[in-house]
């Protein structure tokens, strides 16, 4: 198949969250399965052209598109995804992308991504490269399915299908209603509550959901959740009307960086057959946080953005009493919300032997925490997919999670399903529920045989991108069939 993969973030060029990781990995693995993929990305000024060996494409220079009734020029730079043959085409517009930030609150934020999407079609036309599928990701590229259906299917793209993947429904690209009139769509509809109206405004994501041949998200449970009022953020009705065209595919993890046997960022690599070595990493981790190493209390790790989404407001009311009980220790790495940062900081001040806290972003420490902790805590209120619970399972670190999104799809509770269990799961978003789950985990920690069994089961999980890429290929085929109907 020929796949045009459009994204606003892609590792190693630019990343603010999980979308960047997926975009850096999925096209590579689909390419590896013998398909032809081209990635399209804006050329933000934060991307260093020399470092990434990008070259200016003369053949595609001087192109323009019509935006809000005027011509807008752009140019194209070429690169490759590292360790692959996948072409990456960077759309450059001095007007729109030479800014200090990737996403902005500027008045023309809508136009930045309108230009990007119009430019993608213009380039495809110019190259005469007609993809079987256009894969759009999140709001910045969610109008591609709309443009395809209303404008380009009447041209050379009559056999091209579209897939829209929602990585986090919290970001919807909502602007003034005039946004949609900045592109020229034949037969445009502006009826109330139609695809181009969202609570009196215009949402890129809603329009994309209405027009994509297949809509997907990053875990099966999140695919069901976003059809409900609790999780849909006002888009639940739009999603529900797409019925069984809405699917969930779990993200993979990159096991060239997240593999305890070959991880260069941990002092003592290990695998399922040498789990004793994990305790050496625990000692190193405790030392790093200046916590005592002369006993064997279970050590709970946290690595997270500190935002409401991640559920640490459930931990706040019980943290002090847990620490006072003294039968576990915490190491915390994260940054974000000022209040939560202070909650952890003052706990570390009051209980210096019980909890170590590092406020900030630290890639190498995050690997040591995965390798050295016994338990990993993710009490998220919502979690489209989540990566850290998968890293934890691969590192023999037992996850304690709330049953939501990708956490529900990857962690199986010990007391509910002992034969398949790999961790501990709680349901209601309440501090007492979280406390009970932590206590259940701690009370099992001394049962060495059981703990090993849980660890080994987790380490045997398959979260490879090869598996996820195969699922995306099925989605692409489904989209092609759907587009013919
Ligand atoms: P989200 O994308 O919602 O933040 P994910 O679990 O999907 O959550 O991915 C988060 C990624 O960011 C993980 O790889 C995690 O290890 C990493 N991460 C988050 N906070 C930090 C931090 N403070 N330092 C290092 N890595 C972090």
């Amino acid at each position: 198949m020929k796949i045009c993969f459009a994204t606003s973030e892609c590792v190693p060029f630019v990343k603010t969250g999980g979308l960047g990781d997926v975009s850096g990995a999925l096209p590579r693995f689909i390419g590896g399965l013998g398909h032809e993929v081209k990635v399209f990305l804006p050329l933000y000024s934060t991307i260093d052209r020399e470092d990434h060996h990008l070259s200016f494409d003369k053949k595609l220079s001087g192109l323009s598109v019509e935006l809000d009734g005027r011509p807008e020029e752009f140019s194209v730079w070429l690169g490759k995804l590292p360790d692959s043959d996948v072409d990456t085409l960077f759309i450059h517009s001095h007007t729109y992308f030479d800014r200090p930030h990737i996403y902005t609150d500027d008045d023309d934020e809508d136009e930045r991504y309108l230009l990007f999407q119009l430019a993608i079609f213009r380039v495809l036309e110019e190259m005469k490269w007609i993809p079987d599928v256009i894969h759009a990701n999140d709001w910045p590229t969610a109008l591609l399915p709309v443009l395809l259906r209303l404008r380009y299917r009447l041209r050379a793209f009559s056999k091209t299908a579209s897939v829209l993947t929602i990585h986090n429904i919290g970001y919807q690209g909502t602007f003034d209603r005039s946004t949609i009139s900045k592109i020229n769509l034949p037969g445009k509809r502006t009826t109330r509550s139609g695809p181009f109206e969202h609570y009196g405004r215009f949402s890129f994501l809603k329009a994309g959901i209405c027009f994509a041949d297949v809509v997907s998200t990053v875990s099966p449970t999140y695919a069901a959740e976003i059809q409900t009022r609790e999780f849909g953020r006002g888009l639940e009705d739009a999603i529900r009307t797409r019925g069984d065209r809405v699917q969930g595919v779990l993200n993979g993890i990159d096991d060239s960086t997240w593999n305890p046997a070959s991880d260069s960022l941990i002092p003592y690599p290990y695998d399922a057959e040498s789990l004793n070595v994990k305790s050496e990493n625990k000692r190193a981790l405790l030392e790093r946080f200046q916590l005592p190493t002369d006993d064997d209390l279970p050590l709970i790790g946290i690595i997270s953005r500190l935002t409401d989404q991640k559920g640490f407001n459930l931990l706040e009311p019980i943290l002090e009493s847990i620490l006072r009980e003294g039968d576990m220790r915490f190491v915390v790495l994260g940054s974000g919300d000022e209040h939560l940062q202070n909650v952890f900081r003052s706990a570390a001040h009051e209980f210096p032997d019980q909890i170590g806290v590092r406020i900030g972003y630290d890639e190498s420490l995050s690997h040591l925490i995965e390798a050295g902790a016994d338990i990993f805590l993710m009490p998220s209120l919502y979690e489209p997919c989540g990566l850290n619970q998968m890293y934890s399972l691969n590192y023999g670190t037992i996850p304690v999670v709330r049953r939501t999104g990708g956490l529900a799809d990857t962690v199986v509770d010990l007391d509910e399903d002992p034969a398949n269990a790999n961790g501990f799961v709680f349901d209601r978003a309440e501090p007492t529920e979280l406390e009970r789950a932590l206590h259940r985990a701690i009370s099992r920690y001394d049962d060495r045989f059981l703990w090993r069994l849980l660890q080994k089961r987790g380490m045997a999980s398959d979260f490879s991108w090869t598996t996820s890429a195969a699922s995306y290929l099925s989605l692409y085929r489904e989209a092609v069939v759907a587009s013919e109907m």
Side-chain angles (χ1 to χ4, degrees):
M1 294 183 104
K2 286 185 183 168
I3 292 110
C4 163
F5 189 94
T7 179
S8 55
E9 302 180 20
C10 180
V11 162
F13 309 109
V14 54
K15 167 182 168 178
T16 70
L19 169 62
D21 291 316
V22 175
S23 303
L26 178 58
R28 204 154 36 90
F29 280 84
I30 288 177
L33 293 172
H35 303 273
E36 194 182 344
V37 191
K38 291 191 194 299
V39 175
F40 283 81
L41 186 66
L43 185 54
Y44 304 105
S45 52
T46 52
I47 299 176
D48 191 306
R49 297 170 204 189
E50 264 178 39
D51 283 0
H52 294 295
H53 311 291
L54 308 191
S55 60
F56 181 72
D57 189 322
K58 273 203 204 113
K59 286 197 292 270
L60 296 173
S61 69
L63 296 179
S64 66
V65 293
E66 189 186 315
L67 179 56
D68 204 12
R70 56 180 195 271
E72 281 294 342
E73 285 198 8
F74 64 91
S75 58
V76 179
W77 289 67
L78 299 177
K80 292 264 186 208
L81 281 189
D83 306 321
S84 82
D85 238 359
V86 175
D87 290 331
T88 306
L89 291 89
F90 295 83
I91 304 294
H92 182 246
S93 152
H94 172 65
T95 317
Y96 289 117
F97 295 126
D98 286 349
R99 301 197 184 174
H101 299 289
I102 296 157
Y103 305 114
T104 75
D105 287 327
D106 299 345
D107 289 343
D108 59 357
E109 182 71 354
D110 57 342
E111 292 184 10
R112 299 176 71 224
Y113 290 101
L114 288 175
L115 171 97
F116 176 50
Q117 297 175 85
L118 291 166
I120 291 174
F121 273 111
R122 185 71 194 86
V123 170
L124 292 175
E125 277 185 321
E126 190 67 20
M127 293 194 308
K128 299 193 172 49
W129 192 77
I130 309 296
D132 297 296
V133 174
I134 294 178
H135 187 167
N137 292 279
D138 277 351
W139 78 263
T141 51
L143 282 195
L144 290 170
V146 181
L147 285 164
L148 175 64
R149 185 89 75 82
L150 296 185
R151 192 197 278 183
Y152 290 93
R153 261 199 200 144
L154 310 170
R155 303 194 199 169
F157 297 83
S158 61
K159 292 196 160 29
T160 300
S162 66
V163 171
L164 169 65
T165 299
I166 301 168
H167 298 260
N168 188 333
I169 205 157
Y171 303 95
Q172 305 184 347
T174 305
F175 298 94
D176 188 83
R177 285 185 72 170
S178 59
T179 290
I180 191 63
S181 18
K182 294 180 181 176
I183 55 174
N184 192 5
L185 287 177
K188 188 175 59 201
R189 303 142 184 93
T190 47
T191 48
R192 274 179 65 79
S193 76
F196 300 114
E197 197 272 349
H198 187 51
Y199 298 98
R201 307 190 77 204
F202 167 76
S203 153
F204 278 61
L205 192 61
K206 178 177 178 181
I209 289 166
C210 297
F211 281 91
D213 291 308
V214 165
V215 176
S216 83
T217 183
V218 288
S219 69
T221 295
Y222 195 58
E225 285 174 342
I226 57 176
Q227 307 192 35
T228 67
R229 204 161 165 189
E230 186 185 354
F231 292 95
R233 301 287 185 99
L235 287 177
E236 57 275 10
D237 291 340
I239 293 170
R240 258 201 314 267
T241 49
R242 300 309 316 272
D244 57 8
R245 296 275 173 84
V246 182
Q247 311 244 358
V249 176
L250 212 55
N251 287 337
I253 61 176
D254 185 350
D255 86 342
S256 66
T257 32
W258 288 100
N259 179 348
S262 56
D263 190 334
S264 58
L265 296 175
I266 63 174
Y268 306 101
Y270 59 95
D271 61 19
E273 301 315 313
S274 57
L275 265 165
N276 285 338
V277 177
K278 186 168 161 59
S279 56
E280 301 295 321
N281 292 298
K282 180 174 179 178
R283 174 181 290 276
L285 176 59
L286 289 167
E287 282 169 358
R288 184 87 170 262
F289 279 96
Q290 295 173 321
L291 292 169
T293 55
D294 52 2
D295 52 28
D296 187 25
L297 293 183
L299 180 61
I300 300 167
I302 291 173
I303 306 165
S304 188
R305 289 186 293 120
L306 299 177
T307 63
D308 287 350
Q309 177 198 336
K310 301 296 178 178
F312 293 107
N313 51 344
L314 304 179
L315 183 62
E316 183 186 346
I318 55 170
L319 185 59
E320 190 179 325
S321 70
I322 293 181
L323 292 170
R324 221 172 272 292
E325 282 166 25
D327 56 359
M328 63 179 102
R329 288 201 173 88
F330 283 88
V331 286
V332 181
L333 168 63
S335 64
D337 183 83
E338 199 64 40
H339 172 73
L340 279 172
Q341 292 185 171
N342 287 336
V343 167
F344 285 122
R345 273 202 196 102
S346 54
H349 187 71
E350 200 176 337
F351 300 93
D353 282 352
Q354 298 292 126
I355 174 167
V357 174
R358 200 71 93 246
I359 300 299
Y361 191 95
D362 188 334
E363 186 73 28
S364 138
L365 183 57
S366 74
H367 284 246
L368 182 60
I369 292 177
E370 285 293 1
D374 301 301
I375 293 168
F376 195 88
L377 178 62
M378 288 180 85
S380 307
L381 302 183
Y382 76 97
E383 194 64 75
C385 176
L387 292 172
N388 274 110
Q389 84 281 13
M390 297 195 270
Y391 301 153
S392 297
L393 289 167
N394 271 5
Y395 279 65
T397 305
I398 306 302
V400 173
V401 305
R402 197 170 94 75
R403 196 187 318 273
T404 184
L407 300 175
D409 293 327
T410 48
V411 183
V412 181
D413 184 81
L414 177 63
D415 294 307
E416 253 167 51
D417 185 359
N420 296 299
N422 57 14
F424 297 86
V425 184
F426 66 99
D427 280 280
R428 278 179 297 126
E430 284 173 20
T432 48
E433 288 265 307
L434 164 59
E435 188 171 18
R436 212 171 298 138
L438 274 180
H439 277 130
R440 280 198 297 130
I442 288 161
S443 68
R444 294 334 213 293
Y445 177 69
D446 287 332
D447 183 342
R448 304 314 298 166
F449 180 78
L450 174 68
W451 202 260
R452 274 280 185 279
L453 189 77
L454 290 179
Q455 287 179 306
K456 289 194 173 197
R457 203 175 276 150
M459 293 176 91
S461 330
D462 172 14
F463 298 123
S464 70
W465 266 112
T466 312
T467 308
S468 303
S471 302
Y472 273 102
L473 278 168
S474 308
L475 276 194
Y476 294 160
R477 294 198 179 98
E478 220 172 284
V480 169
V481 172
S483 74
E484 287 164 354
M485 295 196 324

